[in-house]
Amino acid sequence: FSQRVVGYYPQWVINNLGTNEIDLNVITHVIHSFAWPNEDGSISSYDGMFESELSEAIHSQGAKFLLSIGGWGNHEGFEAVIGDENLRELFIYNLSSILLTNNYDGVDLDWEFPDSEMDRTNLNLLVMEMDSIFNNINPEWIITMAIPVTNWWGQWHDFEFLVNHIEFFNAMTYGTHGNWSTHSGHLAPLYSSPPGDVDGSCHIGMDYLSNDRGIPKSKINMGLPFWGIQWESSNINESFTGNTVDIMYYDIPELIGNGYTYNWDEYAFCPYLVKDDSSKVITYEDQESIGLKCQYVLEQEIGGVMI
C-alpha cells in the first residue's frame, strides 16, 4: 500500500513559505486552504486565493493540488446550502467552476462540524451529488474530508456511506488538550498521558475511526500538528491558569536551555518544555515524536499522514 503525506497550505502562509520551499518529494497532496460556502450557494475565499500559479508549481513536481472548503469558523454556509437541493447543486457547480479555472485536482471538505441528524443526512446528499457532478465534468477529481476523531463530533458523520465517495479522510488527531481540559497536556499524544487520560490520544482516535466506525485504515491519514501550546502550569499533566497560547514550531527549539528545560514524556511519546521558574509548560512535536508517529502509521498500515 502507498503512503500519503498530505499538507494543508493556508493562504496566509504563502508569502512566508513559497511552493519552492515545499518538499514535493515527500508531500503527495497539497491542500490549499480555505474557501467556504455562503448561504446563497456562492463561494468566498481568503484574498488572493485564485490569483496565483500555484497549481503549475505543484503539478510540475508530481503532487496533487486540492482546494479545501470550510476551516475553523467557516461553517454557517454549510448548514444553509446542504439542506436545499437547488442550493446544493448551485454550490457544486460554483465549486466545479473554481476547480476548472484554477486547475485543482479535487476538493477537501473541512466542515467543522456537522452537529445534528439533519446535518448527517444532508452531508451524505452533498457528497453523493458532488461525486456524481464531478464524475461528469472531470472523473479524475477526488473528494477528501477532514474529520474529527471522537464520537462527540464523529456521531454526526455517516462514515459507512461517506466511505463510498471519499478518496481519503484527514483525521484531526490533535487538539487533544486545550483550554477545555482539566490539566496541561499534549496537543497530539501518541498514547494517553497519563495512562487512561480521558482526553484521549492519536492511538485512541485511530482505533475509533477504524474499529468503531469501520473506515478502512488505508483511507485514513493521521494528523500531525506542526505547532505547540504554552500553558501557565508548573509541569505536564498539572492544573493550569489563564488561557493556552498557540506557538509556531520555529519559535520553540531556541527556548531550550534559554529559560526552558527539555523533557520527554515516555507515555505520550512527545517532548515538552518546562520553564525554569516552573511557571510555564510548552507541549509540542519535534523530529523524534513526528518520527515515532510516522513509524506508528507504517506499522498500523494506516494510509498516510496529514500536516
Side-chain angles (χ1 to χ4, degrees):
F1 73 112
S2 62
Q3 291 285 323
R4 290 179 297 266
V5 180
V6 175
Y8 280 83
Y9 193 32
Q11 181 63 24
W12 58 86
V13 307
I14 285 173
N15 291 333
N16 300 327
L17 181 73
T19 48
N20 59 321
E21 294 179 271
I22 301 173
D23 188 348
L24 294 167
N25 294 315
V26 175
I27 304 287
T28 58
H29 299 73
V30 175
I31 301 186
H32 196 193
S33 44
F34 294 96
W36 56 90
N38 297 312
E39 297 185 2
D40 61 358
S42 64
I43 295 169
S44 291
S45 66
Y46 291 112
D47 289 348
M49 284 274 290
F50 308 130
E51 295 164 14
S52 60
E53 300 303 313
L54 285 179
S55 66
E56 207 174 306
I58 288 158
H59 287 141
S60 69
Q61 302 291 313
K64 299 268 192 212
F65 189 45
L66 307 176
L67 174 64
S68 186
I69 294 284
W72 184 252
N74 298 330
H75 58 86
E76 286 94 345
F78 280 106
E79 284 97 339
V81 165
I82 69 168
D84 181 295
E85 188 179 352
N86 296 326
L87 283 176
R88 275 199 309 271
E89 186 178 44
L90 177 63
F91 167 63
I92 295 167
Y93 278 111
N94 283 334
L95 183 56
S96 301
S97 169
I98 292 172
L99 299 186
L100 280 169
T101 309
N102 297 278
N103 207 15
Y104 288 106
D105 297 300
V107 67
D108 175 70
L109 296 173
D110 185 11
W111 176 7
E112 301 182 26
F113 294 100
D115 63 3
S116 68
E117 285 287 352
M118 190 177 287
D119 285 349
R120 197 174 192 261
T121 303
N122 290 337
L123 181 57
N124 284 353
L125 292 171
L126 176 73
V127 168
M128 180 177 67
E129 291 162 14
M130 188 177 284
D131 198 11
S132 173
I133 290 172
F134 281 8
N135 202 39
N136 289 334
I137 298 173
N138 183 346
E140 298 291 303
W141 283 347
I142 62 172
I143 307 170
T144 67
M145 187 178 282
I147 56 168
V149 297
T150 67
N151 208 50
W152 178 266
W153 297 113
Q155 63 183 311
W156 309 118
H157 293 74
D158 182 358
F159 291 124
E160 195 177 347
F161 179 90
L162 294 171
V163 81
N164 300 305
H165 301 277
I166 301 293
E167 181 86 1
F168 55 76
F169 296 90
N170 295 314
M172 293 187 267
T173 36
Y174 42 73
T176 305
H177 296 97
N179 284 327
W180 56 88
S181 305
T182 58
H183 56 274
S184 59
H186 297 280
L187 198 55
L190 184 52
Y191 298 99
S192 296
S193 171
D197 179 29
V198 295
D199 290 324
S201 66
C202 296
H203 173 69
I204 287 170
M206 289 294 99
D207 184 62
Y208 167 73
L209 294 176
S210 62
N211 293 330
D212 296 358
R213 301 305 306 275
I215 302 177
K217 284 184 175 181
S218 62
K219 283 204 166 197
I220 303 173
N221 303 322
M222 190 169 95
L224 309 175
F226 274 32
W227 79 97
I229 313 179
Q230 178 181 283
W231 307 81
E232 291 178 32
S233 181
S234 61
N235 209 330
I236 193 75
N237 298 334
E238 297 289 342
S239 61
F240 66 97
T241 56
N243 286 323
T244 57
V245 178
D246 288 346
I247 307 186
M248 290 293 107
Y249 171 75
Y250 51 71
D251 290 326
I252 296 173
E254 65 196 34
L255 299 173
I256 299 169
N258 264 327
Y260 284 83
T261 302
Y262 175 93
N263 297 269
W264 180 259
D265 185 330
E266 61 188 22
Y267 297 115
F269 290 104
C270 287
Y272 63 99
L273 305 184
V274 179
K275 197 170 184 193
D276 295 344
D277 65 3
S278 298
S279 65
K280 291 188 169 89
V281 174
I282 295 171
T283 56
Y284 70 110
E285 302 288 325
D286 63 5
Q287 289 92 329
E288 189 174 355
S289 65
I290 292 289
L292 288 166
K293 286 179 168 71
C294 291
Q295 189 181 327
Y296 173 90
V297 165
L298 286 165
E299 287 170 358
Q300 296 285 326
E301 298 190 350
I302 292 163
V305 295
M306 171 269 280
I307 303 164

